[in-house]
Amino acid sequence: MAAPGGLTELGEKVGCWDAYVAAVTNSLKPPPSLTEANARNATELRVPDWPAVPVRARSCLGGIRADRLFDARAPCGETGGTLFQEEYAEWRVVRDEEGPTQFELTTEVADYWLLLARYRPERLVDLVADFAGVPSLDPSEVFGEPDPLSAEEDVRAEAFSRRFLGRSLTDEEWRGLPGSFNNGERAITCLSRPDNSLHALIKLVVASAVALQTRDTKDGELRFPSGSEAIPHLAEDSAQDCRASDPLVAERIVRVATEGRPIRFDDPIGIYVVAVQSEDLLDPGGQPIPDDWVRRRRQGPALPDGLARHQRIELEVPKEAGFKLSELVSRRTGQRIQRGAQLAELVELAVYVRVGDAGRVPVKSRLLPRTDPEPCDGRPECRKLEKRAALIEGGG
Amino acid sequence: MSMTVVDTGELQDGIYLSPAARPPNALLILTLDFEANVEAAAAREALARVWEVLIDLRAGVVRDLRASQEDEADQRIEQGTFEVLLGYGASFFDPTRGLTQAHRPTRLTRLARDREPFSNLPWASGASRGGEGDLCLQLTGRDVQATSRAAVEIWKSIVDGRLPLAVTGSFDGFARDDGRSWIDFHDGVSNIRPSQRLAAVECQGDPDWNRGGTYLAFLRCAVELAAWRKLPRSAQELLIGRDKLTGCALEGTTERGGALVPRPYPGCPAAADASPEDRDKFRDPPETGDPVVEASHIHRANQNRTEPTTHAGHRIFRQGYEYLAGFGPDGPDLGLNFISFQRDLEHLWQILGLPGWLGGVNFAGRQDRGQGEPEPIDLLSLEAAGFYAVPSRERPFPGSKLFGRVGPIPR
């Protein structure tokens, strides 16, 4: 299995990535739909895709308020990114007095970066310097350790986790916040939230690879359940309803599992930027910006299938254009770009899945009880988001 | 299959979610603008009077046929021959107008008139580029007489009452009784399960004032019928994703002598006793894994194939009406009044904009096509277009609380 995006920087250590993915998958006890799938019997491509902007927060808090919060920072150090950006994408916005000047979004999973920390720390330091827009960085500044390159691999991984993810790999009690190279202050490097991880994605797919049907509440006919109908019946904490990503992935995987298809992640596994709808960003003259102003990054050599596997985008208006990012107008809203969410909603993410023929894997569908899921803006989860909003708005 | 009774919530009339409630035959979209500098109270009063005329007309009362002398009786017409739906366009929310304190919903935007409104859907040559206004009235009726009479009664009420309101555009259309479009394929039948249609349409809030309402997208699309008719049937079927005669969805393609032959699902059309899964397969076909079929119009328009409650499924409820505007030297000037209702206009933007969906193509097909695949065709262009917020039912008229100071503060 190749590294995310087909990146080659792990070198011969790519086997560690392979082993990591296998270990995570096996720990979750995958069902036959997954264990019986291989490169020969599961070849048809499926592309569940979703927008990078967090729809749950928009639904619960209202769009205008949520969009403001996504870019904000609380006095306690929490950021809108760690509090709200939950669609397997996290971004930062660089601003001047007139508004955004630069937008950067990553879908790179921390699981991979922990391997870089262990096995390719020099490369990691170079990448972080690049993301921060500086020629070089002292490794100690990146890892927060006096001599990280000479340290044990586990020590470096722990240092990276504390400094970039705000959590410890070894001490469950320790809680912190991502540091300046991953909280948007100096850079954004990789996904920091636990529910934006590869582990979370695999858990979601494994849990969803079950045969489920429901009877329609109105006409009584058997049908595949929607994401919202299926999620309460999946393994605990495997999926979060009202996100854009989880219900979509869950619904689509449940459907192909119910059809008895073998299912596997396409290799290389990852969360990919499949579209940036730059044609909907208009310059002050009303013309779409050139697409090459969107820098798509963190993809290795393109594979023969031609699929996009970028994991990072950067958008900045070139100096010679004579205007700034904040002067662009969204074709969809008629508004000038003031928030990262206006750009994130133009970014489409996907996970590539391969499936085989229907009926290849014997399944017996479980019939779910009829339910009528509550609209997302009335759910208890909204209260949690309100509390998080209060950290920023209340100054707490 | 028994007809399902479909919950339409508090939606206005004129959105035909129930399979039992086939849309009426005739359509007339009117766009209206308030006079510049009109005050909110006067604008509200004007609209209330127009609405009252329409309610009376639906009840059979024609203002000019009311008795004016003691020995006369009102002359009434048949009741309920049309339905009316009221929408509010982006210009209504312009803060400099002072018509409302409510903010414009974010994606209720004015479409560009001086450049292409969508990257893949250009203005037609010589297009009116109308379709927007402070207000729109969707009139759907039993026949052209019913919708036309309603439109003229609106004009009379404006003139007679010297109301600060003007009709600025009208766009007509008709439903075909064969369920097909000008390009001869089946169209106009929603593939959303009836029980799920309200979820696709009904706004859940944000802004709160439109909770229980919806958004209307009106795209009057000219169709290049002459170009379409030059394509062989197999190419047409590959671009649509269905068999031309039966409407059966394609399962895949078969290569035969260097040509790709469309292959419909076996067993289609579904027998009366077909299983629900099989009926689903024909109505709302699953993904096929065949890249040619996946590039067809029916798959591009619905890539994720999920239930409407799933946000990223981008499901919308379509309710189209054809039009024929006349004949020119190149043939008929015709097309489709594409009308969709959706809980958020984001979904239409995403369907039209996302690569793999309709982004990058006008209708269907692949730029990097393989041997035997039809070329992508530029089939559609816009004559007129507009987006509207459609508030839920309300007295005295939908959206009446929006005017002036009574509009709630949006979240």
Side-chain angles (χ1 to χ4, degrees):
Chain A
M1 181 170 274
L7 294 169
T8 57
E9 59 214 0
L10 272 178
E12 75 277 7
K13 290 292 185 182
V14 72
C16 299
W17 173 253
D18 201 2
Y20 172 78
V21 174
V24 169
T25 307
N26 292 334
S27 73
L28 295 167
K29 297 184 174 56
S33 301
L34 292 171
T35 55
E36 293 182 17
N38 56 53
R40 291 180 306 283
N41 68 8
T43 57
E44 283 185 16
L45 182 66
R46 295 290 190 269
V47 189
D49 61 325
W50 65 91
V53 71
V55 297
R56 177 160 59 174
R58 278 184 164 181
S59 171
C60 290
L61 306 175
I64 296 170
R65 183 178 172 209
D67 287 4
R68 188 173 61 241
L69 289 166
F70 294 150
D71 294 347
R73 184 182 300 272
C76 61
E78 293 272 17
T79 66
T82 55
L83 291 170
F84 300 110
Q85 294 176 16
E86 60 175 359
E87 296 292 359
Y88 299 95
E90 295 174 21
W91 72 77
R92 77 162 182 152
V93 175
V94 180
R95 297 176 172 276
D96 66 11
E97 63 283 357
E98 290 166 6
T101 58
Q102 201 176 333
F103 172 77
E104 298 169 358
L105 177 146
T106 182
T107 66
E108 287 202 73
V109 289
D111 319 57
Y112 174 77
W113 277 76
L114 284 164
L115 292 187
L116 281 183
R118 284 176 189 277
Y119 304 122
R120 295 288 181 265
E122 299 93 341
R123 172 65 178 155
L124 185 151
V125 171
D126 288 347
L127 282 169
V128 173
D130 182 10
F131 296 163
V134 295
S136 63
L137 285 168
D138 189 300
S140 63
E141 194 181 359
V142 174
F143 284 96
E145 291 279 324
D147 188 10
L149 301 187
S150 303
E152 296 285 327
E153 293 166 354
D154 285 350
V155 172
R156 269 199 309 274
E158 172 70 12
F160 177 84
S161 184
R162 289 188 178 218
R163 198 134 172 115
F164 282 73
L165 310 181
R167 57 183 178 272
S168 169
L169 297 172
T170 57
D171 178 0
E172 290 186 4
E173 298 294 312
W174 193 91
R175 288 286 182 278
L177 292 168
S180 62
F181 290 117
N182 206 29
N183 70 3
E185 192 179 326
R186 298 182 69 184
I188 182 132
T189 298
C190 65
L191 299 175
S192 65
R193 291 171 55 110
D195 56 2
N196 278 347
S197 64
L198 185 82
H199 188 280
L201 177 67
I202 294 177
K203 190 174 181 182
L204 169 65
V205 170
V206 168
S208 303
V210 291
L212 302 175
Q213 286 188 298
T214 188
R215 285 203 182 277
D216 194 89
T217 53
K218 302 291 193 311
D219 60 27
E221 288 188 353
L222 273 179
R223 61 173 169 81
F224 301 109
S226 68
S228 291
E229 289 166 330
I231 283 173
H233 304 279
L234 304 182
E236 197 174 356
D237 295 330
S238 59
Q240 296 182 54
D241 198 8
C242 297
R243 277 174 145 184
S245 48
D246 284 12
L248 178 87
V249 173
E251 183 171 342
R252 294 193 60 176
I253 297 297
V254 165
R255 180 168 180 155
V256 288
T258 307
E259 291 171 340
R261 297 177 188 271
I263 306 162
R264 66 183 175 91
F265 282 106
D266 184 59
D267 182 17
I269 188 173
I271 297 142
Y272 299 123
V273 176
V274 293
V276 182
Q277 298 174 75
S278 60
E279 67 278 2
D280 282 346
L281 290 173
L282 306 176
D283 67 21
Q287 295 304 311
I289 64 167
D291 186 58
D292 59 12
W293 288 4
V294 180
R295 191 174 175 210
R296 295 164 172 83
R297 303 185 63 190
R298 301 296 290 152
Q299 172 176 337
L303 297 180
D305 59 23
L307 296 173
R309 292 188 172 86
H310 300 99
Q311 302 175 92
R312 182 181 182 88
I313 60 159
E314 298 168 358
L315 172 60
E316 188 175 15
V317 175
K319 283 194 174 64
E320 58 271 22
F323 53 87
K324 297 180 183 175
L325 183 59
S326 56
E327 293 176 73
L328 299 184
V329 171
S330 166
R331 189 202 296 259
R332 297 180 178 193
T333 65
Q335 295 170 339
R336 281 170 62 154
I337 299 302
Q338 290 297 307
R339 308 282 177 207
Q342 293 170 284
L343 302 167
E345 70 185 11
L346 302 177
V347 178
E348 194 76 354
L349 311 176
V351 56
Y352 297 134
V353 176
R354 301 273 176 181
V355 303
D357 293 339
R360 290 288 292 265
V361 180
V363 290
K364 188 176 178 195
S365 292
R366 183 152 65 98
L367 186 61
L368 302 181
R370 297 188 194 194
T371 54
D372 200 358
E374 190 182 354
C376 287
D377 67 346
R379 302 274 184 103
E381 290 82 359
C382 286
R383 289 198 285 277
K384 289 183 190 167
L385 293 178
E386 280 289 355
K387 285 182 181 170
R388 292 179 189 176
L391 289 175
I392 294 172
E393 295 169 334
Chain B
M1 185 169 67
S2 62
M3 283 295 184
T4 306
V5 176
V6 174
D7 180 12
T8 57
E10 289 301 308
L11 295 172
Q12 294 185 43
D13 291 338
I15 306 172
Y16 302 97
L17 301 185
S18 169
R22 194 178 172 83
N25 294 326
L27 167 82
L28 192 60
I29 296 273
L30 297 183
T31 57
L32 300 95
D33 281 341
F34 290 109
E35 284 179 4
N37 304 321
V38 66
E39 291 190 355
R44 185 179 190 276
E45 176 60 22
L47 186 51
R49 288 176 68 176
V50 169
W51 193 257
E52 193 181 317
V53 165
L54 290 167
I55 298 303
D56 282 352
L57 189 63
R58 269 181 53 76
V61 176
V62 181
R63 295 287 170 112
D64 287 353
L65 297 181
R66 285 178 301 190
S68 57
Q69 297 173 34
E70 276 188 10
D71 58 347
E72 289 181 325
D74 289 349
Q75 294 297 301
R76 300 176 79 93
I77 61 167
E78 188 180 348
Q79 298 181 29
T81 58
F82 73 96
E83 285 168 330
V84 58
L85 173 145
L86 171 61
Y88 294 80
S91 58
F92 175 81
F93 299 89
D94 181 344
T96 66
R97 306 276 305 279
L99 293 170
T100 180
Q101 289 189 336
H103 286 217
R104 171 174 66 84
T106 309
R107 278 167 285 278
L108 181 67
T109 184
R110 295 187 81 151
L111 297 171
R113 261 47 199 173
D114 56 351
R115 59 176 187 277
E116 307 308 353
F118 304 98
S119 60
N120 54 343
L121 199 50
W123 290 115
S125 172
S128 71
R129 304 191 181 193
E132 285 186 332
D134 293 340
L135 309 170
C136 85
L137 288 166
Q138 176 197 270
L139 300 164
T140 43
R142 181 187 64 186
D143 49 33
V144 174
Q145 174 196 326
T147 53
S148 301
R149 179 167 53 206
V152 173
E153 290 300 316
I154 291 168
W155 171 80
K156 286 182 189 173
S157 69
I158 292 171
V159 171
D160 294 351
R162 297 183 181 176
L163 303 181
L165 194 59
V167 177
T168 56
S170 69
F171 307 91
D172 65 348
F174 58 87
R176 286 174 61 142
D177 60 6
D178 59 358
R180 292 177 186 269
S181 68
W182 285 122
I183 57 175
D184 292 327
F185 281 76
H186 286 82
D187 193 18
V189 179
S190 175
N191 54 13
I192 301 176
R193 182 179 290 275
S195 64
Q196 302 295 306
R197 291 178 183 175
L198 183 61
V201 169
E202 187 181 41
C203 184
Q204 296 297 330
D206 195 17
D208 276 334
W209 58 259
N210 208 24
R211 187 182 296 273
T214 185
Y215 293 95
L216 180 158
F218 165 55
L219 306 175
R220 188 170 167 96
C221 299
V223 175
E224 290 289 332
L225 186 59
W228 179 255
R229 295 187 72 246
K230 287 177 184 164
L231 298 175
R233 173 176 164 180
S234 61
Q236 293 180 349
E237 290 177 338
L238 292 175
L239 288 168
I240 292 287
R242 290 190 186 277
D243 181 276
K244 187 170 183 174
L245 301 189
T246 63
C248 292
L250 302 185
E251 178 188 43
T253 53
T254 305
E255 196 271 330
R256 198 175 294 156
L260 287 179
V261 179
R263 191 177 72 246
Y265 277 100
C268 179
D273 59 350
S275 69
E277 289 88 341
D278 278 346
R279 283 204 297 270
D280 262 357
K281 199 182 292 180
F282 305 138
R283 185 194 66 208
D284 190 10
E287 287 177 275
T288 64
D290 184 318
V292 181
V293 176
E294 290 303 311
S296 69
H297 185 74
I298 67 166
H299 283 275
R300 281 183 169 277
N302 182 16
Q303 272 291 335
N304 273 325
R305 316 206 77 76
T306 65
E307 296 291 348
T309 47
T310 302
H311 179 93
H314 304 312
R315 303 304 301 272
I316 62 176
F317 181 74
R318 296 172 301 121
Q319 190 172 288
Y321 281 82
E322 316 296 318
Y323 73 83
L324 173 63
F327 279 81
D330 299 325
D333 172 7
L334 54 73
L336 168 70
N337 292 295
F338 173 96
I339 291 173
S340 66
F341 295 97
Q342 47 271 305
R343 63 177 189 267
D344 192 324
L345 288 163
E346 173 195 353
H347 300 303
L348 183 67
W349 280 108
Q350 294 285 46
I351 290 169
L352 291 174
L354 283 172
W357 296 62
L358 288 168
V361 297
N362 177 261
F363 185 73
R366 297 195 296 173
Q367 298 294 350
D368 55 344
R369 67 189 187 283
Q371 189 180 6
E373 279 185 62
E375 280 186 51
I377 182 171
D378 288 342
L379 185 68
L380 306 174
S381 54
L382 281 177
E383 283 288 339
F387 291 159
Y388 294 90
V390 179
S392 59
R393 294 170 190 271
E394 186 187 338
R395 289 179 185 275
F397 60 87
S400 56
K401 67 186 175 195
L402 284 172
F403 285 79
R405 293 184 175 276
V406 287
I409 296 168
R411 291 192 294 172

